Amino acid sequence: MKKIAVFTAITLLLPVLLAGCGSSVIKEENKVETVSEELLTVGFSQLGAESDWRNTNTVSMQEALSKENGFNLVYKNGQQKQANQITAVRMFIQQGVDYIVLAPATETGWDIVLAEARDANIPVILVDRRVDVSDKGLYSCWVGSDFELESKKVTAWLKAFSDRRNISPENIHIVNIQGSIGSTAQIGRTRGLANAAREYGWDLLTEASGDFTENKGREVMAALLKGHDNINVVYCENDNMAIGAIDAIESAGRKVGPNILNGDIMVVSFDGVNEQSLDYCREGKISCIAECNPLHGPRVRALIEALQAGETPEKFNYVDERIFSSLDIVDNISVDGITYDVEEP
Ligand code: GZL
């Protein structure tokens, strides 16, 4: 096992109240410490703190990779910038960590730094989003979601809803408030909607990125309402943007809800982590949410323990995810031959 490095890091105790997670907090450790030989040192480059999903994901990693569980976790927040993450990975390499866990902001631009980790014999585990590299051997394994499947669930729900409400496809005028451009979640969710709109004959008016944040979602929605007077469905690629979009819609004097033939604007979304978005879903303000499971910590712990034991875990490890709606019009949906019950949020 690699020698255990002495770490100094900047400490900021970030008291972040996590909706859906009680009063869990994210912390960046600030300790000058010599960790004992028994602990595995893991450098974790998290992409940011842009959403409730992200913060819940970070807490899940910190709780799983704890000292009680045999780990010394060094957590670095990339502030949604790949350059910061590359700097963090190089710091981990220089400090001789045992493992690197990377939650990449976007898919491209990782070949060089991952080759540096390989040359230093430090295994890399990817979480959440994917990387587009020439050699998949640059990382040991990945754990995350099938984002296009998430999109297929939401669009299958919208298709079933509109059929049952006798809404003809050409009367569905939909805009997509996208996540961070170039992220795997955005690529999959955007592709899923574009394919469904083409297949079902929906009028996909336009796409614009809200960067997965509430404020940008609000700003983009306000601009879209000024540019289009026939929007009746808003597809938000995460809940934080949906909350911002709902605020903008209501500020413009419009009603959010499922009765689009009576002037409502329907909102559908992804994640199911933020408590306010789940409340909105219970009220029918968000008509449907495809769950995106952020709890990767236990899975990453299991993958590291398997690698430590000399095993070769699955390269790609998907998490199970549900679909939520309080509108009891669609009980279940079928995607790629698999039936998913639509659950109460
Ligand atoms: C999805 C993740 C996305 C979430 C957003 O796995 O990458 O990034 O859907 C988050 O909430 O910001």
Side-chain angles (χ1 to χ4, degrees):
M1 183 176 353
K2 210 163 289 312
K3 73 175 175 54
I4 299 300
V6 174
F7 284 94
T8 58
I10 297 166
T11 301
L12 278 178
L13 185 63
L14 303 178
V16 178
L17 282 184
L18 296 171
C21 260
S23 58
S24 304
V25 294
I26 289 179
K27 50 186 180 302
E28 287 198 58
E29 295 202 14
N30 173 16
K31 289 197 181 71
V32 178
E33 62 177 350
T34 301
V35 292
S36 64
E37 284 290 329
E38 294 75 47
L39 296 181
L40 278 176
T41 297
V42 177
F44 173 37
S45 172
Q46 176 60 287
L47 70 90
E50 75 284 358
S51 64
D52 295 276
W53 188 99
R54 184 68 48 205
N55 296 336
T56 304
N57 179 253
T58 298
V59 170
S60 174
M61 299 289 288
Q62 290 177 333
E63 289 177 347
L65 303 180
S66 65
K67 283 193 169 52
E68 298 72 40
N69 292 335
F71 299 90
N72 173 51
L73 182 68
V74 183
Y75 156 71
K76 284 295 167 194
N77 175 347
Q79 309 289 340
Q80 281 191 282
K81 290 183 175 56
Q82 180 180 43
N84 294 342
Q85 293 197 272
I86 289 172
T87 300
V89 170
R90 286 187 168 134
M91 180 191 78
F92 298 148
I93 293 169
Q94 188 269 328
Q95 291 179 342
V97 300
D98 295 296
Y99 288 87
I100 290 171
V101 175
L102 172 66
T106 52
E107 292 198 343
T108 56
W110 297 101
D111 293 80
I112 292 172
V113 75
L114 293 183
E116 292 168 14
R118 179 195 53 198
D119 295 347
N121 294 316
I122 299 175
V124 174
I125 294 173
L126 299 179
V127 294
D128 183 21
R129 301 172 187 177
R130 306 277 280 261
V131 295
D132 179 11
V133 290
S134 53
D135 173 6
K136 286 189 172 55
L138 288 173
Y139 56 93
S140 299
C141 45
W142 166 89
V143 59
S145 302
D146 181 337
F147 302 110
E148 197 162 344
L149 173 58
E150 292 173 353
S151 177
K152 288 179 179 177
K153 290 177 185 175
V154 169
T155 53
W157 180 91
L158 180 55
K159 168 70 173 146
F161 173 88
S162 55
D163 286 350
R164 284 166 178 67
R165 282 286 182 89
N166 298 315
I167 300 168
S168 55
E170 61 272 13
N171 287 335
I172 289 183
H173 305 289
I174 190 166
V175 292
N176 179 2
I177 301 184
Q178 298 168 292
S180 306
I181 298 299
S183 67
T184 315
Q186 176 272 311
I187 292 167
R189 293 169 186 167
T190 294
R191 181 187 301 132
L193 175 61
N195 290 343
R198 189 170 43 252
E199 180 182 352
Y200 300 139
W202 299 337
D203 174 20
L204 176 53
L205 291 165
T206 189
E207 305 164 337
S209 177
D211 218 11
F212 286 130
T213 68
E214 180 178 330
N215 288 338
K216 194 79 187 297
R218 180 181 297 106
E219 183 187 307
V220 165
M221 188 69 241
L224 291 172
L225 288 168
K226 289 191 173 74
H228 302 271
D229 60 6
N230 60 341
I231 298 169
N232 55 20
V233 179
V234 181
Y235 175 99
C236 297
E237 293 186 355
N238 89 327
D239 290 338
N240 293 79
M241 296 190 294
I243 289 166
I246 289 168
D247 188 32
I249 292 167
E250 293 179 335
S251 299
R254 297 293 302 275
K255 182 172 175 295
V256 175
N259 299 312
I260 61 179
L261 295 184
N262 297 334
D264 282 6
I265 294 181
M266 173 187 278
V267 174
V268 296
S269 184
F270 295 82
D271 284 352
V273 171
N274 174 292
E275 202 53 46
Q276 186 179 1
S277 65
L278 291 170
D279 286 341
Y280 276 171
C281 196
R282 294 176 188 114
E283 295 164 30
K285 274 193 175 182
I286 295 181
S287 294
C288 178
I289 296 178
E291 181 185 32
C292 184
N293 186 337
L295 305 178
H296 296 154
R299 292 172 180 80
V300 170
R301 175 186 175 188
L303 289 168
I304 291 176
E305 289 170 348
L307 291 167
Q308 278 298 103
E311 298 166 17
T312 305
E314 287 294 318
K315 188 83 173 178
F316 301 103
N317 304 271
Y318 290 91
V319 292
D320 295 328
E321 299 175 331
R322 299 163 290 176
I323 179 169
F324 302 123
S325 177
S326 62
L327 308 174
D328 55 0
I329 299 166
V330 180
D331 295 331
N332 55 62
I333 51 151
S334 180
V335 174
D336 300 334
I338 297 174
T339 298
Y340 300 88
D341 288 337
V342 178
E343 301 185 27
E344 283 293 318

